[in-house]
Amino acid sequence: MIDNTDEKILEELLKNGRITMKELGEKVHLTGQATASRVVKLEEEGVIEGYTINLNQGKSGYSIHSFINIFTKNPSHKAFLSFAEEKQKYILNHFKITGESCYLLECRFPSNDELDQFLTELNIHANYKLAIVINKKN
């Protein structure tokens, strides 16, 4: 069970996963050692599953941001799922969803040519509806 201090720890780690345990402890009013123990406990309990970075996709060469609704062509989704696994370098998030479509992909592509190639290959396994992100508001 997570208490208020654990919630504050998680909130601070979400803001900055590279914060030192001493700095984190100061923010949540614990010693660095006590904070580290709580973080280890949260990791062991599976509350914290891992640490990551936020990558600026545009500056890293993947400037085309898109959302693709997937409509599988047959009841077995294995072919589409295998395709998605092969194309992981383009897929930021892969959701199985309810509604009109079966899946929603959030993708990044370095060029229109690579997006076009991806869609051409995707169309072998599924129909799709594409939306290109124009601007992201924070």
Side-chain angles (χ1 to χ4, degrees):
M1 181 90 155
I2 297 174
D3 64 21
N4 286 340
T5 302
D6 289 341
E7 285 182 19
K8 290 176 186 173
I9 288 171
L10 293 171
E11 186 177 303
E12 292 300 327
L13 286 172
L14 285 168
K15 289 179 192 173
N16 178 5
R18 294 185 58 162
I19 192 170
T20 67
M21 290 300 117
K22 181 180 178 197
E23 292 171 317
L24 181 56
E26 289 170 2
K27 290 181 179 279
V28 299
H29 309 293
L30 294 173
T31 65
Q33 186 175 3
T35 303
S37 294
R38 284 187 176 245
V39 169
V40 168
K41 182 184 99 186
L42 290 167
E43 291 169 345
E44 289 172 349
E45 292 175 351
V47 175
I48 296 174
E49 295 181 331
Y51 299 86
T52 188
I53 61 170
N54 290 328
L55 184 64
N56 183 312
Q57 296 288 335
K59 289 182 179 180
S60 68
Y62 286 75
S63 59
I64 300 169
H65 189 186
S66 63
F67 288 89
I68 307 171
N69 282 287
I70 304 296
F71 305 86
T72 56
K73 291 183 177 180
N74 97 40
S76 173
H77 299 179
K78 288 181 184 180
F80 162 71
L81 294 171
S82 293
F83 169 80
E85 186 67 31
E86 290 171 18
K87 301 298 183 178
Q88 273 302 306
K89 72 177 185 176
Y90 300 117
I91 301 172
L92 297 174
N93 289 297
H94 180 175
F95 304 101
K96 185 173 186 178
I97 61 172
T98 63
E100 291 183 28
S101 59
C102 302
Y103 298 93
L104 176 65
L105 302 181
E106 180 182 9
C107 299
R108 292 281 189 156
F109 299 92
S111 69
N112 282 330
D113 288 338
E114 289 195 50
L115 168 59
D116 183 51
Q117 182 65 36
F118 179 92
L119 295 175
T120 299
E121 293 175 25
L122 169 62
N123 202 232
I124 295 167
H125 310 290
N127 293 319
Y128 62 87
K129 190 183 289 185
L130 173 69
I132 302 289
V133 174
I134 302 299
N135 194 0
K136 179 182 174 186
K137 301 290 182 190
N138 289 329

